[in-house]
Amino acid sequence: MAIDDANASVSRRGFLKAGAGATAAVGATGTAAAQEGNESDGGGGGGGSETVALTGDNVYDPEELYIAPGTTVTFDWTSDGHNIIVDSKPGDSDWEGHEPIENEGFTHEHTFEVLGDYEYYCSPHQSLGMEAVIHVTEGGQNPNAGGGGGGPTLPDSAMTMGVATMAALVSTLALAFFFIKYGGDYEMPE
């Protein structure tokens, strides 16, 4: 059977081109989605701002935050019945938290100037684990995160997309190998 314009799209070469194109498209889409879903301002550069949400899941989000001195943190109530009780702080810090229980829509701001750890909790929900800590460090970085400054971390969504893309690529290549090895244009005896 000869390959002509009518059946060229079903040739092995056409199949491989289509498979490679589809795999590349899936990979590019997944990478773009993972990057879009993980945008962040990267934590304090000093003089910046961060937000901590007091959520309906009875957690502070994030539960651990690294900021530089001079960063303003806005505590945003996204559900009812929370407060901020300071458990421990550096001795010369003036942060007192916010003891009155507030409801959704309330905000409280504080600019953290003193280096150190600020541990706090929500008194109505402490037994449920609603506790958090703010670390004020030079440069706003986690000193235990590894040396050399590292690079950007890989978010879970990007890892998932990478694994899915690799699985699609391997499947496509295995199928292509099968067709190349066992498929073919055999001429039928007349």
Side-chain angles (χ1 to χ4, degrees):
M1 174 179 196
I3 297 177
D4 58 15
D5 288 339
N7 63 3
S9 64
V10 267
S11 70
R12 285 179 278 175
R13 185 170 288 144
F15 172 78
L16 287 174
K17 285 181 183 178
T23 302
V26 168
T29 303
T31 302
Q35 288 173 348
E36 182 179 310
N38 194 46
E39 292 177 0
S40 170
D41 62 8
S49 64
E50 294 286 339
T51 300
V52 173
L54 289 75
T55 73
D57 294 328
N58 298 322
V59 296
Y60 293 102
D61 184 21
E63 292 178 352
E64 185 172 30
L65 180 63
Y66 286 86
I67 60 172
T71 301
T72 299
V73 176
T74 301
F75 296 88
D76 183 21
W77 275 248
T78 61
S79 68
D80 296 342
H82 302 295
N83 64 359
I84 304 168
I85 304 297
V86 178
D87 195 25
S88 68
K89 64 180 181 176
D92 48 349
S93 168
D94 63 347
W95 187 48
E96 298 298 326
H98 186 82
E99 193 168 337
I101 294 174
E102 302 290 351
N103 293 322
E104 183 176 352
F106 184 80
T107 61
H108 168 73
E109 286 187 352
H110 182 77
T111 302
F112 291 84
E113 301 287 351
V114 180
L115 294 174
D117 296 336
Y118 298 77
E119 296 178 359
Y120 56 98
Y121 63 90
C122 173
S123 60
H125 303 111
Q126 184 180 18
S127 64
L128 299 174
M130 191 168 180
E131 302 173 332
V133 62
I134 295 174
H135 305 280
V136 181
T137 62
E138 287 299 332
Q141 300 298 318
N142 180 350
N144 301 320
T153 58
L154 184 64
D156 290 340
S157 59
M159 179 66 87
T160 302
M161 289 305 299
V163 169
T165 302
M166 284 303 295
L169 181 61
V170 168
S171 299
T172 301
L173 290 174
L175 191 58
F177 173 76
F178 177 80
F179 281 122
I180 290 170
K181 177 115 174 127
Y182 301 107
D185 296 326
Y186 299 105
E187 293 189 26
M188 301 297 287
E190 293 183 31

